[in-house]
Structure formats: C-alpha cells, structure tokens
Amino acid sequence: MSILPIGHLAFTKADINVLVEAGTHLVDDQRAGSCVPVEIDNGEVVVAILDQDDEYLLCAFGKDHGWYCAYDSEWSVIARSQFIQDVIDVLPTVAENNDRRSAANAA
C-alpha cells in the first residue's frame, strides 16, 4: 500500500513564503548568509539556505511527490514529512552544524 499526501505536488507561493521566512531567521542571527528560492535544472523550485559567504549550500527545502523534504549540502534527505513544520524543525541542527564547521575552519 502506498500513501499519498493530500495537497499540492509542488510548492505553492505560501509554502515558499513560510520556508523563506523560517530560513531568514538564520540569516538575521548571522548563522547563514541568505535564504532564497531557486529554480533548479528540472524547473522545480527549492528554497536554499547558503553559508555566510553565500558560497555553499547549508540546507535546501523541496517537495518530492507532494512530501516536504529537507536536504543537506550533499542533497541527502534529512527530513521528509507531509507537514511543512517537520522539515523546518531541522534548521537548528543545520545552524549548529554550520557553526561547528565555521569554528573548525577558523582554527
């Protein structure tokens, strides 16, 4: 048996706004450089959170067959849910990992 989520298969404008707002909190706290919607090669939109220098991907949010997904910098799924808040909940971990990486690079 397969389970299909109820809702849109791709991001809505509201989804993008919620994710950008959540990611902007990391930018405001100077734990990320920017949080922007980006159209990827296949035409889908993801919301990307970049490091302080806007050079490297820290995390991205996308949709896969109607499920919200959070991806790490290597595009591995780190969270998948029918609920947008469940993927937003990975942001503290993403920020902590980036803080540790920044501290290691500074040493």
Side-chain angles (χ1 to χ4, degrees):
M1 169 170 63
S2 68
I3 299 172
L4 295 176
I6 298 172
H8 301 277
L9 292 179
F11 279 149
T12 64
K13 288 182 182 181
D15 290 335
I16 293 170
N17 289 336
V18 167
L19 292 166
V20 168
E21 182 179 329
T24 299
H25 291 295
L26 291 182
V27 176
D28 293 344
D29 292 342
Q30 299 180 358
R31 299 177 87 185
S34 60
C35 178
V36 293
V38 177
E39 186 174 321
I40 57 176
D41 292 341
N42 64 4
E44 292 183 39
V45 173
V46 298
V47 174
I49 300 175
L50 303 173
D51 71 339
Q52 289 88 343
D53 298 322
D54 289 334
E55 292 181 12
Y56 301 104
L57 179 69
L58 299 178
C59 176
F61 297 106
K63 266 198 139 175
D64 180 30
H65 296 90
W67 293 77
Y68 294 101
C69 294
Y71 302 92
D72 66 12
S73 61
E74 297 175 4
W75 290 100
S76 296
V77 175
I78 55 177
R80 186 172 190 261
S81 179
Q82 291 180 326
F83 303 104
I84 198 167
Q85 187 60 49
D86 291 343
V87 296
I88 290 172
D89 287 345
V90 304
L91 287 177
T93 303
V94 168
E96 289 170 20
N97 291 343
N98 183 51
D99 292 345
R100 281 194 292 271
R101 186 174 25 251
S102 294
N105 290 338

